[in-house]
Amino acid sequence: MAGICFLVAFLASVLGKICGMGGGVIIKPVLDACQAAGAMAIHFYSGCTVLGMSCWSVGKAIWKKDSQLDFRVSTPLGVGAAVGGLLGKELYTRLTEGFPDADMIGGIQALLLFAATLVTLLYTIFRRCFSAKQTKGLLPCATIGLALGAVGSFLGIGGGPFNVAALYYFFAMSAKAAAQNSLYIILISQAAGTAKTVLSGDVPEILLPVLLGMILCGILGSEAGGKLNRKLSEKQISLLFEWAMVLVLGINLYNIYRFW
């Protein structure tokens, strides 16, 4: 089972790096479908893998001065997402306490993730029918980030696909710029959520070798994805993002069926 976790972490991070999804939107539902661990353990594995890959990716881009990061937009978005992430994590914790059946929790997450992913996919396909905004100001950015962080944390996916769609719509970013800024937002929000989990002693029962292996595979996936990203056009990245959403929809349909 560890081999499956490592492979999923690597491939999801390749795709996450290219499209700015972070990888959690693939890791969480796939490991749920494979029954690789309990719902809370998968939530933690996914979050730590996404944190590791986003930290490596963003740090490398800044170090090499090869980034399209807009700190005036993405920093307040990230801070808002961090606060929203803590709220989403608290909601998830309360939900797990109210539903002793882990399958019920997984089913609720799968259903909500399916709905949110479908909306994201439809917007991405038809986004040319909508006029992109040029949102400015700390408060509007932080508010948008708050909503993104809460949804992403509750679903255990880091919020990447929703970040990308929001950056398209609210800030008129290109596909490559949205991908980089999304990973920066994920880094801030995921770091806050993981720190809270660790400091509060809520870390679920996990296998440390699996966790470290997934983080390493996430970093390796980020490297591979970065090389592919430089070779792809804006149109190809957008198309890949759309097909990734179709994949997530299919996985979540299976999870909804399996859990319920």
Side-chain angles (χ1 to χ4, degrees):
M1 192 58 71
I4 293 176
C5 292
F6 298 156
L7 180 62
V8 170
F10 175 78
L11 295 177
S13 296
V14 171
L15 192 58
K17 169 65 176 182
I18 295 172
C19 303
M21 300 188 303
V25 71
I26 302 292
I27 297 172
K28 175 69 171 61
V30 170
L31 293 187
D32 277 338
C34 295
Q35 303 182 53
M40 294 188 70
I42 290 174
H43 194 282
F44 190 75
Y45 283 139
S46 175
C48 289
T49 303
V50 169
L51 175 59
M53 87 75 80
S54 60
C55 183
W56 179 269
S57 178
V58 172
K60 185 177 180 180
I62 294 174
W63 176 263
K64 297 185 72 173
K65 298 180 180 179
D66 181 30
S67 75
Q68 299 183 55
L69 295 173
D70 187 341
F71 292 106
R72 292 174 299 177
V73 167
S74 295
T75 299
L77 276 171
V79 173
V83 176
L86 296 178
L87 295 175
K89 177 66 177 177
E90 182 65 24
L91 178 60
Y92 177 80
T93 301
R94 291 183 180 276
L95 185 66
T96 58
E97 293 172 351
F99 290 89
D101 184 357
D103 283 350
M104 180 64 72
I105 299 169
I108 292 172
Q109 282 189 309
L111 181 60
L112 293 176
L113 182 54
F114 177 87
T117 302
L118 180 60
V119 172
T120 302
L121 173 62
L122 291 175
Y123 166 72
T124 304
I125 294 173
F126 299 107
R127 73 176 185 273
R128 291 174 181 81
C129 300
F130 301 89
S131 298
K133 310 297 181 183
Q134 292 286 352
T135 305
K136 297 179 181 179
L138 292 176
L139 184 58
C141 289
T143 302
I144 294 169
L146 182 74
L148 293 173
V151 172
S153 177
F154 177 76
L155 297 178
I157 62 167
F162 315 133
N163 292 349
V164 172
L167 291 169
Y168 283 159
Y169 180 71
F170 290 106
F171 304 98
M173 287 191 182
S174 66
K176 290 193 175 184
Q180 281 203 4
N181 283 273
S182 174
L183 290 177
Y184 177 62
I185 296 167
I186 290 170
L187 170 60
I188 297 174
S189 60
Q190 197 66 61
T194 302
K196 180 181 182 299
T197 299
V198 173
L199 293 175
S200 61
D202 293 331
V203 177
E205 184 176 344
I206 58 170
L207 297 175
L208 186 59
V210 173
L211 176 64
L212 296 178
M214 287 183 67
I215 294 173
L216 176 59
C217 288
I219 292 172
L220 294 175
S222 173
E223 284 293 296
K227 292 179 180 180
L228 290 173
N229 181 278
R230 288 188 287 272
K231 297 179 180 180
L232 297 175
S233 66
E234 294 279 342
K235 183 177 180 180
Q236 288 172 322
I237 290 175
S238 295
L239 186 61
L240 186 60
F241 178 80
E242 292 168 10
W243 278 108
M245 294 299 94
V246 172
L247 173 63
V248 173
L249 288 174
I251 296 170
N252 278 284
L253 276 177
Y254 171 75
N255 282 334
I256 292 169
Y257 169 78
R258 183 173 67 84
F259 284 126
W260 286 354

